[in-house]
Amino acid sequence: MARRLTLEFLKTEAGSGAVLGVAALAALVLANSPFATDYFSFLKAEHVLQIGPAILEMSVSEWIKEGLMAIFFLVVGLEIKYEILRGELSDPKKLATPVLAAIGGMLAPGLVYLGVVSALGGPTQGWPIPLATDIAFALAVFAVFARSLPSSLRVFLLTLAIVDDLGAIALIAVLFSQGVVWGHLLWVAGLLAVGAAFAQWRKIPSPFWFLGFALTWWLTVEAGLSTSLTAVAFAAIVPIKARRDGQMPLKEAMHDLHPYVAYVILPIFAFAKAGVSFAGIGLEQLAAPLVIGIALGLFIGKQVGVLAMAWLASALKIGTKPTGATWPEVYGVSLLCGVGFTMSLFIGALAFPGAIDSPAQVEVKLGVLGGSLLSAIAGAAVLSVAGRRRKEKAEAAANTAS
């Protein structure tokens, strides 16, 4: 069961990488075309949602960030819960190495970023941006260039990315949830408590959870809290035990939502956030401290932090290297962890609030795109070489045996 769910997740997320790439490319093309004004005006346009006396008004960009991305974080939360209770994260021996690698992959990029911007006189508040790994893009590159490598590397990458996302979500909650309306927050806490109590009753149908999540989301927005936090909190109360009809609510939600998140929500977010207008951008902006700090944090910090902590876990016998994998192959996966596209752009929008085409947002996008592209290309190259060497060794061994 655990293996089947993990493979389904890998297949869906990896397959969506192409769609994400097309969406990001479309955004870049539009942002640098005669339709650029229409593109940016559309994302800035205000839209109102009213249900009775309750009214919410946000721009299209904000609806995507706070609305659609809440569903993404719900799915991440469901995946985290499943892995902790039934999957790879339930085995401490399998858990130690990717968890420590994820911690290293969060500490080192932040330190690299702070070191760079401090030396160049840049803004320090962007340090959380290079901390996250984009699961979909990283798995997409892995699926294409590491087909002949051990499946344990896929599980290592997935587990690391999940822990990585959990750390990023915690940072979002701590750093970017300001001006909270405590009355609404108490209602959110109350709803979650009621939901947790009802979760023990196996007869509850799926629509109950849908309505509960919608109401929790609404109150979270009204409270001024990041929807990512309560989305993960809501995932934690979705039952994993099967109902009397044999269906597991958590598994149902994962199965039903994964395709929409992978093929609709994340591409829409990429389309909204990857649009960078290169008009008027000179070498000075390309070499801005914020751009260099983010790019090097993703490309240098990620690979160093992940590989160093994975090696340390193995050396201290706290954890083990992925089964059947070599250190060059682990290094290739470490490089892929520097692909921080979706989550990094999300954190960048929170760290530097303002118009999507503001100078700070443009620099965030340039840094994220640059660091992610370097990491993807380098990771693909290393994994391709490792796969070719593994194939050559297998062929040589077969010829020797014959």
Side-chain angles (χ1 to χ4, degrees), residues 161-226:
I162 290 173
V163 176
D164 198 309
D165 278 350
L166 182 60
I169 290 167
L171 279 174
I172 289 170
V174 172
L175 299 175
F176 304 117
S177 294
Q178 290 138 357
V180 174
V181 180
W182 291 101
H184 287 81
L185 183 57
L186 290 175
W187 276 104
V188 170
L191 277 174
L192 291 173
V194 170
F198 272 93
Q200 307 304 315
W201 188 31
R202 297 190 180 185
K203 291 183 178 181
I204 294 181
S206 297
F208 170 85
W209 299 106
F210 171 78
L211 293 174
F213 178 72
L215 184 55
T216 302
W217 172 85
W218 186 291
L219 289 170
T220 299
V221 175
E222 292 284 10
L225 193 68
S226 173

Side-chain angles (χ1 to χ4, degrees), residues 39-394:
Y39 169 76
F40 289 112
S41 296
F42 167 72
L43 294 176
K44 293 176 185 177
E46 297 286 326
H47 286 269
V48 178
L49 175 63
Q50 181 172 0
I51 301 177
I55 300 176
L56 281 181
E57 182 176 0
M58 294 187 287
S59 67
V60 171
S61 181
E62 289 171 332
W63 277 111
I64 293 171
K65 184 178 70 174
E66 297 295 345
L68 292 182
M69 288 300 284
I71 302 175
F72 165 74
F73 284 113
L74 173 65
V75 173
V76 170
L78 292 171
E79 185 69 19
I80 290 169
K81 179 175 180 177
Y82 183 86
E83 292 295 334
I84 289 174
L85 297 180
R86 302 284 178 86
E88 289 296 320
L89 303 184
S90 63
D91 185 343
K93 292 182 180 179
K94 292 182 179 180
L95 177 62
T97 301
V99 167
L100 289 174
I103 293 172
M106 287 186 282
L107 290 175
L111 292 174
V112 169
Y113 174 91
L114 289 173
V116 169
V117 298
S118 296
L120 299 178
T124 58
Q125 72 265 33
W127 66 267
I129 297 174
L131 271 58
T133 297
D134 189 293
I135 298 175
F137 268 129
L139 287 176
V141 176
F142 187 94
V144 173
F145 296 97
R147 295 177 181 176
S148 60
L149 299 182
S151 59
S152 61
L153 283 169
R154 292 183 177 89
V155 177
F156 173 78
L157 176 58
L158 175 60
T159 306
L160 190 157
I162 290 173
V163 176
D164 198 309
D165 278 350
L166 182 60
I169 290 167
L171 279 174
I172 289 170
V174 172
L175 299 175
F176 304 117
S177 294
Q178 290 138 357
V180 174
V181 180
W182 291 101
H184 287 81
L185 183 57
L186 290 175
W187 276 104
V188 170
L191 277 174
L192 291 173
V194 170
F198 272 93
Q200 307 304 315
W201 188 31
R202 297 190 180 185
K203 291 183 178 181
I204 294 181
S206 297
F208 170 85
W209 299 106
F210 171 78
L211 293 174
F213 178 72
L215 184 55
T216 302
W217 172 85
W218 186 291
L219 289 170
T220 299
V221 175
E222 292 284 10
L225 193 68
S226 173
T227 55
S228 58
L229 175 63
T230 49
V232 173
F234 192 89
I237 68 172
V238 176
I240 195 169
K241 292 182 179 179
R243 297 191 300 263
R244 293 187 178 181
D245 61 2
Q247 297 298 315
M248 182 193 304
L250 185 141
K251 181 183 175 182
E252 277 187 320
M254 286 171 58
H255 181 271
D256 293 343
L257 292 175
H258 262 145
Y260 293 103
V261 168
Y263 294 107
V264 179
I265 291 174
L266 288 180
I268 288 176
F269 180 78
F271 179 77
K273 296 300 178 183
V276 180
S277 175
F278 295 107
I281 294 180
L283 291 177
E284 183 179 350
Q285 191 165 17
L286 287 173
L290 181 57
V291 176
I292 297 175
I294 294 172
L296 292 183
L298 286 170
F299 181 58
I300 301 297
K302 272 291 184 181
Q303 59 172 294
V304 170
V306 170
L307 185 64
M309 290 300 282
W311 178 85
L312 185 62
S314 179
L316 297 178
K317 301 189 183 303
I318 300 172
T320 58
K321 185 174 55 178
T323 305
T326 64
W327 282 115
E329 292 165 356
V330 175
Y331 174 60
V333 173
S334 302
L335 282 165
L336 290 187
C337 291
V339 179
F341 187 74
T342 308
M343 186 71 82
S344 293
L345 289 176
F346 183 84
I347 296 175
L350 296 174
F352 297 94
I356 57 174
D357 55 351
S358 65
Q361 277 299 300
V362 170
E363 291 179 8
V364 166
K365 293 173 185 178
L366 289 173
V368 171
L369 290 173
S372 297
L373 188 60
L374 283 172
S375 298
I377 292 172
V382 171
L383 291 172
S384 294
V385 171
R388 189 160 55 248
R389 287 181 177 175
R390 180 178 286 271
K391 186 177 180 181
E392 290 172 353
K393 288 182 179 179

